[in-house]
Amino acid sequence: KGVLFVEAVRRAEEIRSSSAAELASAVPVRTRSAIETARLMIEIFFAPQLTSDVLTVRLEPMVAAHRDPELRQIIADFRPLHLDAQRVVLRRSGHEAIADGPDVELLARMIESSLLYAGQTGDADPIDAASRSVARMIELAHHAAEIAGTDG
């Protein structure tokens, strides 16, 4: 692996994280359903642009990068910025209790795993399938927040 490749991965993560922050802050504030919010979260997670080939173009290279300790560290270093963008989307969509709770990382993992699962099962629209799974996690996170007494 060359220095240029490592720098390319670092630059890609810089672009992804800054695009995610910019797009998240531009989301209009309004109450959204779990499915609407889930779709927005996926779009922001794969900023600057989510396309139907997200599995092969974006997610598979990220998974492959995790095999290399240096690349894995670069991706890990930027993860908090991506999670911050997810919190912004949740807050701007009326899901403050989730944004301020312990489940944002879990939702990010659900985004990744749901897309991979949809790809493995041959789902015709992996983004839609992942949106449904993430929406269900949002609903469950709301339920958990209600039980904890933190969901307004």
Side-chain angles (χ1 to χ4, degrees):
K1 141 194 95 190
V3 174
L4 286 177
F5 183 71
V6 170
E7 286 308 310
V9 169
R10 184 181 319 282
R11 183 66 185 130
E13 285 301 301
E14 289 171 356
I15 291 168
R16 276 188 66 226
S17 62
S18 64
S19 295
E22 184 178 316
L23 290 171
S25 65
V27 169
V29 176
R30 70 174 179 81
T31 301
R32 289 182 180 78
S33 68
I35 193 77
E36 291 173 306
T37 303
R39 176 65 187 226
L40 273 173
M41 290 179 73
I42 295 169
E43 289 175 9
I44 299 301
F45 198 78
F46 290 100
Q49 183 178 6
L50 177 67
T51 59
S52 60
D53 60 357
V54 64
L55 288 167
T56 54
V57 173
R58 304 293 294 286
L59 198 54
E60 286 176 7
M62 289 170 62
V63 171
H66 279 82
R67 292 184 192 106
D68 180 290
E70 190 173 9
L71 300 179
R72 183 173 51 241
Q73 186 60 52
I74 291 169
I75 291 171
D77 289 346
F78 283 90
R79 184 78 169 194
L81 298 173
H82 294 291
L83 296 179
D84 288 345
Q86 296 299 312
R87 286 183 184 90
V88 170
V89 171
L90 286 162
R91 283 187 191 101
R92 296 179 77 83
S93 299
H95 304 283
E96 293 84 1
I98 299 172
D100 296 334
D103 294 322
V104 177
E105 172 67 37
L106 182 61
L107 286 167
R109 291 179 191 180
M110 179 58 75
I111 290 169
E112 296 161 327
S113 62
S114 295
L115 283 168
L116 286 172
Y117 182 77
Q120 289 175 341
T121 58
D123 197 294
D125 188 346
I127 297 169
D128 185 57
S131 295
R132 289 190 309 271
S133 295
V134 173
R136 180 66 179 137
M137 287 300 299
I138 290 171
E139 292 165 356
L140 292 171
H142 271 296
H143 183 66
E146 288 172 1
I147 290 171
T150 58
D151 196 8

